[in-house]
Amino acid sequence: MLAEIITIGDEILIGQIVDTNSAWMAKELNAIGIKVKQITSVSDDADHITEALSRAEKRARVILITGGLGPTKDDITKFTLAKYFKMGMRRDAGVLENVEAIFKRGNRPMIESNIRQADVPEGCTVIQNKNGTAPCMWFEHGENIIVSMPGVPFEMMYLMGEEILPRLTKSFKLPFIYHKTILTANLGESFLAQEIADIEDSLPPSIKLAYLPKLGQVRLRLSTSGPDEQQLKDEVEIYARQIITRLKPYIVAEDDIALEEAILNIMKKKGLTLSTAESCTGGYISHLITKHPGCSAVFAGGAVTYSYELKESVLGVKADTLNTYGAVSEQTVKEMAEGAIKHFNTDYSVAVSGIAGPDGGTEGKPVGTVWIAVANRNKVVARVFSFGNKRIQNIERSASSALSMVLNLLKEDVN
Amino acid sequence: MLAEIITIGDEILIGQIVDTNSAWMAKELNAIGIKVKQITSVSDDADHITEALSRAEKRARVILITGGLGPTKDDITKFTLAKYFKMGMRRDAGVLENVEAIFKRGNRPMIESNIRQADVPEGCTVIQNKNGTAPCMWFEHGENIIVSMPGVPFEMMYLMGEEILPRLTKSFKLPFIYHKTILTANLGESFLAQEIADIEDSLPPSIKLAYLPKLGQVRLRLSTSGPDEQQLKDEVEIYARQIITRLKPYIVAEDDIALEEAILNIMKKKGLTLSTAESCTGGYISHLITKHPGCSAVFAGGAVTYSYELKESVLGVKADTLNTYGAVSEQTVKEMAEGAIKHFNTDYSVAVSGIAGPDGGTEGKPVGTVWIAVANRNKVVARVFSFGNKRIQNIERSASSALSMVLNLLKEDVN
């Protein structure tokens, strides 16, 4: 069963926002056995929406559309859909009630454009949106199902989870889609591929292997689909085990999890705790860790010490060290890591100090110079990196390298 | 001048990664006068790539393709392009040299698949990729330009910035595209629209107004294009001024900047400093702030205090307060904010303590309950929010609300 996603909104096409909805929707669709054939982003333009929809209808049987359902004039999705399906508009009493309730709860007056949120194409099934005023609309068109949802992520997610996915599951007899992902670190994709070339060659045509490199990590993904879930898993597992055995030194996790999740899992199991001491990464590492439910069993907290003063007062870095070697130095970053262990009373810590840029570089320490230290109660290891001149990339690459270093120290110790 | 972006990779269609490249590329293309008509994500499948490309060639004159250029078997873009353009393959000496240099620098052996990175379609212009082994390929096809780039963000960004954008600028006589964005907070889009209905009605057809709501903020964007940059700006400015004057109480910034950037700008101008004390947001607020160049003039640092112990030792929250009222309480969050001011010696601070979920809720304090306090040296204000049961959303909405509260306190004080 194939689906397509159409996201509507000029804000996507001028790059004002990143479309995060599509990836979320694709993952959820996969989980119920629906494969996404294509994702198309089009402008708030009736002809363009119509063209994209009519093409999508030829390739897929389920088309999920987000965006263009706001109360303002630039939003035209529902009128375009009415025209496409040759339907008139009607005012839906249920939607009106929902809009009124939302405004009453917020203690705000309602205006004409809010009332018009209740207008929907005549032939669609209306699905109530409890989190917003734009209704969700379900159309059946020949053999196809077309659903129009608001683009606001939490409204879309709620509607998908509570309404659309269950209804799609009921509408079709769906196969299982199974992805097995193996997370590796410290070896490039071409070398991984060389190591497992014979295993890759022995894969049956029904199993597809993909390599997804990112920031020093590579994900290996085995994908397949079919009617029997257990059989799929068993078959993929045979090849996954071969790959995992072959690549043992590089394996971080046998699931599609993030590096920091793998760290949290190991530390939780061993009853170990972690803290962070961040300068140029500015809280990004601790954000990556605290995104994950249950992190509090491992993560005590950390400090973001941008200023010299905070490096001294919060982490106990010596003024002498800072003045002699500078904030971006092996000595400082080691004292930051040791200070985190001591002051935050954790088993492990990771510290980062670097020049994220675009300013602040010197001849000896250009923008992109980043010192990272990881420590436990016995040992502190530091390395210097050179990540180039883009601020966001420096932050991301620093965080990824810091997490890799935590994992390596952890592996040394727990093995 | 219209462009289209085609991103290739099953990882996008199964939702394993979010396509962040397209937004970045669209923004850069806009800046040189090229409008993006459509963004299409397709699978690593030759027929599908071919179909998408041939459709795109009918709608646009510039087609930028990313992805599918790795050394592993799942990557088929360049072979598909060679077939599409009816070209053979040749080994490019320059690319081979680049690949060899990269492996030499990394002190790693080269294998056959790395050498094959130097194979390119015969009729394309090769553009060297200094940051990776996959070459960038530029095709001229009738009136159209088609460029294939690696999907790794920093390789793509470098190639776009240094090579593709300058070459596109030289290839066409491009108009100017001008977007003026106004950031507002604390009023919903329908009310903003009602407030400025007469201004919106008076806009000439050449200027388009869009409303982009997100987490309690709404961006208003005026867009236009034409041959004379100054004239465009002057014309848009007339209407922008009217809107800004009308919506004065809700205006956060007169540029397309983030809320935290608006805060940094105001504080920098006034010589004020800021610190953070985060529990459930786990460093996300300080990450948002430190993403921005120059933030160190304002931001001293902060603490991520997940545990009771760190709330006491780092921020000076009283054990009594924690035991009596709990970590998620008005009393605790106020002491966190006051502690940040005192211990980090800043003029302002913001503190967040909540239950991000999915676990940890109680009957009186369900998941999604978040206390936020903002303080300066004279005052501390706290509010409680209820954000629902999704962890990532709770973190994002908490951060957005916290920043809004900082801005409001700041506005109170500096006005």
Side-chain angles (χ1 to χ4, degrees), chain B residues 173-195:
Chain B
K173 192 173 156 37
L174 297 168
F176 293 95
I177 297 179
Y178 183 61
H179 303 292
K180 165 84 182 182
T181 297
I182 301 162
L183 176 61
T184 70
N186 303 323
L187 194 66
E189 58 173 328
S190 58
F191 298 97
L192 291 170
Q194 193 188 29
E195 293 276 334

Side-chain angles (χ1 to χ4, degrees), chain B residues 6 35 70 91 126 131 159 162 178 185 210 218 224 228 239 257-258 279 286 289 321 325 359 378:
Chain B
I6 299 176
K35 225 176 128 173
R91 186 151 294 177
V126 170
N131 295 297
L159 283 163
E162 301 295 317
Y178 183 61
V218 180
T224 188
D228 184 332
Y239 298 98
I257 60 174
S279 188
S286 90
I289 294 168
T321 307
Y325 302 103
D359 305 318
N378 309 312

Side-chain angles (χ1 to χ4, degrees), chain A residues 180-257:
Chain A
K180 165 85 181 181
T181 297
I182 301 160
L183 176 60
T184 70
N186 303 325
L187 193 66
E189 58 172 329
S190 58
F191 298 97
L192 292 170
Q194 192 188 28
E195 292 277 335
I196 60 168
D198 57 321
I199 305 173
E200 185 167 359
D201 287 338
S202 74
L203 287 173
S206 59
I207 300 179
K208 212 170 161 183
L209 173 62
Y211 297 81
L212 313 169
K214 192 186 166 193
L215 299 168
Q217 303 156 40
V218 180
R219 283 177 159 67
L220 277 67
R221 191 191 62 233
L222 293 159
S223 301
T224 187
S225 74
D228 184 330
E229 190 176 10
Q230 197 52 51
Q231 193 191 319
L232 293 179
K233 286 188 178 170
D234 292 345
E235 200 186 11
V236 166
E237 199 55 31
I238 295 168
Y239 299 97
R241 291 315 330 157
Q242 292 178 23
I243 291 171
I244 290 164
T245 307
R246 184 76 58 83
L247 299 178
K248 191 156 192 305
Y250 313 106
I251 300 294
V252 173
E254 300 182 12
D255 277 306
D256 192 12
I257 60 175

Side-chain angles (χ1 to χ4, degrees), chain A residues 103-279:
Chain A
F103 278 82
K104 209 171 165 188
R105 260 205 317 274
N107 205 15
R108 292 174 301 167
M110 238 169 98
I111 56 178
E112 180 56 30
S113 66
N114 304 126
I115 295 166
R116 281 198 302 266
Q117 290 287 74
D119 294 343
V120 296
E122 272 168 348
C124 75
T125 304
V126 170
I127 298 172
Q128 288 298 338
N129 171 10
K130 291 176 198 155
N131 295 296
T133 58
C136 171
M137 294 164 286
W138 174 289
F139 300 85
E140 301 194 354
H141 193 225
E143 291 226 297
N144 293 351
I145 290 172
I146 295 104
V147 185
S148 164
M149 282 172 281
V152 178
F154 82 92
E155 296 181 24
M156 178 280 291
M157 287 175 186
Y158 189 87
L159 283 162
M160 282 288 287
E162 302 295 317
E163 300 282 353
I164 310 307
L165 295 167
R167 284 171 196 239
L168 289 173
T169 307
K170 252 192 244 160
S171 302
F172 302 104
K173 191 171 159 38
L174 297 168
F176 293 96
I177 297 179
Y178 183 61
H179 302 292
K180 165 85 181 181
T181 297
I182 301 160
L183 176 60
T184 70
N186 303 325
L187 193 66
E189 58 172 329
S190 58
F191 298 97
L192 292 170
Q194 192 188 28
E195 292 277 335
I196 60 168
D198 57 321
I199 305 173
E200 185 167 359
D201 287 338
S202 74
L203 287 173
S206 59
I207 300 179
K208 212 170 161 183
L209 173 62
Y211 297 81
L212 313 169
K214 192 186 166 193
L215 299 168
Q217 303 156 40
V218 180
R219 283 177 159 67
L220 277 67
R221 191 191 62 233
L222 293 159
S223 301
T224 187
S225 74
D228 184 330
E229 190 176 10
Q230 197 52 51
Q231 193 191 319
L232 293 179
K233 286 188 178 170
D234 292 345
E235 200 186 11
V236 166
E237 199 55 31
I238 295 168
Y239 299 97
R241 291 315 330 157
Q242 292 178 23
I243 291 171
I244 290 164
T245 307
R246 184 76 58 83
L247 299 178
K248 191 156 192 305
Y250 313 106
I251 300 294
V252 173
E254 300 182 12
D255 277 306
D256 192 12
I257 60 175
L259 185 50
E260 65 275 7
E261 256 182 299
I263 292 170
L264 287 170
N265 291 346
I266 296 171
M267 295 189 84
K268 200 169 183 174
K269 226 160 137 187
K270 301 273 168 188
L272 296 167
T273 56
L274 176 67
S275 61
T276 51
E278 302 184 63
S279 188

